Amino acid sequence: MKKSQETSPNYLLKSAREGHGWTQEELAEKIGATCVTISRWENGVTFPSHYFCKKLSSLYSKTFQELGLIRDDHRNRRRKYLRSSMLLHTSALHDSPPALSLSSSLRPRTKPIFLFNEPLTNPAEFYGRRCERETLISRTYRRASTSIIGPRRIGKTWLIDYLRLTAPKEFGARFSIGYLDATMPSCRSVTGFVTEALCVLGLPVTEDVDGLISLEKGLRVLKARDHIPVLCIDEFEGFSNKQEFTLDFFQGLRAMTHAYNLVLVVVSRNPLSMVMSKDVEPSGFFNIFEQLMLEPFDAEEVDEFIYEKGRQAGFTEQECEALSKYSAECQQGWPPLRLQLVGKMLLEDKERNKIGVQYWQKFKLRLEEIYRSVTS
């Protein structure tokens, strides 16, 4: 048994913790993670992001290698596959389009492989964003608020969905997580917002909702039950009515994060300091957040996506190369939505045998038209 443990790539990480006499909960507190995350690292279910690798290395005063913080066999196999398939990020710059092969047999599918403009219902479908995911989960677990920003269709809502889907396992039953969209008609007033907030947090709603006072009463009930309320607010720009959402509103919301352990996860295209009017600046509202900026996938993230999805779709090397090439957006990287769209289009055309002399020129025109219609 001991020999088997010592050959495990996670043994060194676990041994370092036990050598300090720390429990998983104590280590999680020291580095800002959750005990569930620590357990997954040590059992090989997930691998720490570079951010947490550096924290662990600094905490233990050991190198990555001394802690077993090296790429696992799965990652090495994936990279070997990608290299042999010419799927490094330079493939996005190839001049000549690859040809699709239709030789592989296709199995009937009960669920789509590429999720274009669909809600996230399975956390396993959330690719990339490892650092952002771990930061959001660890901050929420520590009852700290987070601001997620980025351009349209970059995956901000999916990140919130990932948090909601993984919360039961990561946090347990003490956390009550609710979601609302600030652009909903019901959220155009403070009373409407409070009503929606109470509903999504599982609190009773009376007929005489009295603005933030009613929300405060509800949060007081959750605190008495030792529950942590987490309110995810999408499209935060919806609070643009200055007559309704005044300085008092944001000051009150900020005060409740301190008094009742209210955790806010807000989503917007621009930083909150730009979203909110100058009149609201004295509230100090945006000072309680850590900002997570979402950008297109980098080369490592797109490698992971193409490897996993290409395998599921039965793509050939040439088809995976096409997925990388047409999903790239100049030198800015690979937008996740564009990756899903290109994969969906390639797979549908592969299955329908829609390959002709002018295929790639028409494919690119179709792609740009569809992508522009959902991002403009």
Side-chain angles (χ1 to χ4, degrees):
M1 174 67 74
K2 183 177 180 181
K3 183 177 180 181
S4 175
Q5 274 187 321
E6 292 179 350
T7 56
S8 168
N10 306 99
Y11 173 75
L12 294 173
L13 187 59
K14 181 178 180 181
S15 179
R17 173 180 60 78
E18 293 178 341
H20 282 72
W22 296 334
T23 65
Q24 291 181 343
E25 290 81 2
E26 289 170 333
L27 175 59
E29 183 68 25
K30 292 178 185 295
I31 66 173
T34 69
C35 57
V36 175
T37 298
I38 300 297
S39 175
R40 289 180 178 178
W41 292 344
E42 294 183 354
N43 289 316
V45 178
T46 59
F47 194 85
S49 67
H50 186 69
Y51 169 79
F52 280 109
C53 285
K54 289 175 64 178
K55 279 203 161 191
L56 290 165
S57 177
S58 175
L59 181 65
Y60 293 129
S61 298
K62 292 178 178 289
T63 65
F64 284 16
Q65 188 171 5
E66 288 173 329
L67 292 173
L69 299 177
I70 54 177
R71 300 298 183 190
D72 57 19
D73 290 340
H74 173 73
R75 175 64 58 84
N76 290 333
R77 288 197 302 270
R78 178 169 60 82
R79 286 203 168 279
K80 183 178 179 181
Y81 171 88
L82 292 171
R83 286 195 296 269
S84 67
S85 302
M86 300 178 67
L87 291 176
L88 296 177
H89 64 281
T90 53
S91 66
L93 304 177
H94 286 176
D95 294 327
S96 58
L100 284 180
S101 170
L102 301 174
S103 59
S104 59
S105 60
L106 300 174
R107 297 178 180 178
R109 295 191 309 276
T110 57
K111 60 181 180 180
I113 292 175
F114 296 96
L115 305 179
F116 172 68
N117 264 2
E118 295 187 31
L120 181 69
T121 58
N122 180 0
E125 290 293 337
F126 194 92
Y127 290 85
R129 315 283 191 217
R130 292 190 182 276
C131 183
E132 291 85 352
R133 278 188 271 172
E134 291 181 351
T135 298
L136 179 59
I137 288 174
S138 62
R139 282 186 62 81
T140 304
Y141 183 73
R142 300 195 314 271
R143 309 174 190 180
S145 297
T146 305
S147 166
I148 303 170
I149 65 173
R152 278 176 54 83
R153 319 302 293 170
I154 199 65
K156 302 186 295 296
T157 301
W158 265 35
L159 182 54
I160 283 186
D161 290 341
Y162 179 84
L163 173 68
R164 297 166 63 201
L165 291 168
T166 57
K169 184 176 290 186
E170 292 284 356
F171 307 142
R174 287 184 59 226
F175 283 70
S176 302
I177 300 186
Y179 168 89
L180 60 82
D181 187 324
T183 60
M184 292 189 301
S186 57
C187 288
R188 291 175 182 170
S189 67
V190 173
T191 298
F193 162 75
V194 169
T195 301
E196 290 296 330
L198 292 171
C199 285
V200 299
L201 290 175
L203 292 166
V205 180
T206 61
E207 295 182 358
D208 55 340
V209 173
D210 188 15
L212 287 183
I213 294 177
S214 295
L215 179 58
E216 182 180 8
K217 290 178 180 178
L219 295 179
R220 189 179 294 124
V221 170
L222 290 179
K223 187 174 182 180
R225 297 174 183 168
D226 197 27
H227 279 209
I228 310 300
V230 181
L231 184 59
C232 302
I233 306 176
D234 208 348
E235 300 288 350
F236 197 77
E237 289 90 347
F239 296 138
S240 59
N241 186 338
K242 297 179 183 179
Q243 293 181 341
E244 275 287 334
F245 303 100
T246 62
L247 174 64
D248 288 341
F249 171 81
F250 292 104
Q251 281 182 329
L253 208 54
R254 183 183 190 277
M256 284 186 276
T257 64
H258 295 290
Y260 301 106
N261 297 321
L262 172 64
V263 179
L264 295 174
V265 180
V266 302
V267 171
S268 59
R269 297 185 204 175
N270 297 302
L272 294 180
S273 57
M274 296 175 59
V275 171
M276 299 166 65
S277 67
K278 295 293 182 182
D279 299 336
V280 176
E281 282 188 5
S283 69
F285 177 73
F286 52 77
N287 295 333
I288 65 175
F289 298 92
E290 178 175 334
Q291 178 178 288
L292 293 182
M293 168 71 82
L294 299 193
E295 298 177 339
F297 280 179
D298 59 23
E300 183 174 353
E301 291 174 315
V302 80
D303 282 354
E304 178 186 7
F305 179 90
I306 292 177
Y307 170 74
E308 294 292 346
K309 287 299 183 180
R311 196 161 52 87
Q312 293 173 27
F315 281 172
T316 64
E317 295 179 10
Q318 292 77 18
E319 291 159 357
C320 288
E321 194 174 330
L323 178 54
S324 177
K325 173 182 173 64
Y326 288 101
S327 298
E329 198 170 61
C330 300
Q331 300 295 328
Q332 299 176 3
W334 291 261
L337 182 71
R338 191 176 176 98
L339 274 163
Q340 299 280 6
L341 174 59
V342 173
K344 178 177 182 290
M345 292 174 63
L346 287 176
L347 183 57
E348 289 176 348
D349 290 346
K350 175 187 176 81
E351 292 176 333
R352 296 170 184 172
N353 233 347
K354 285 191 171 182
I355 308 299
V357 178
Q358 303 296 326
Y359 173 75
W360 289 110
Q361 183 178 1
K362 293 179 179 179
F363 175 85
K364 188 173 182 180
L365 290 174
R366 283 195 299 129
L367 168 64
E368 297 302 338
E369 181 180 355
I370 297 173
Y371 187 67
R372 187 169 52 250
S373 69
V374 297
T375 56
S376 59

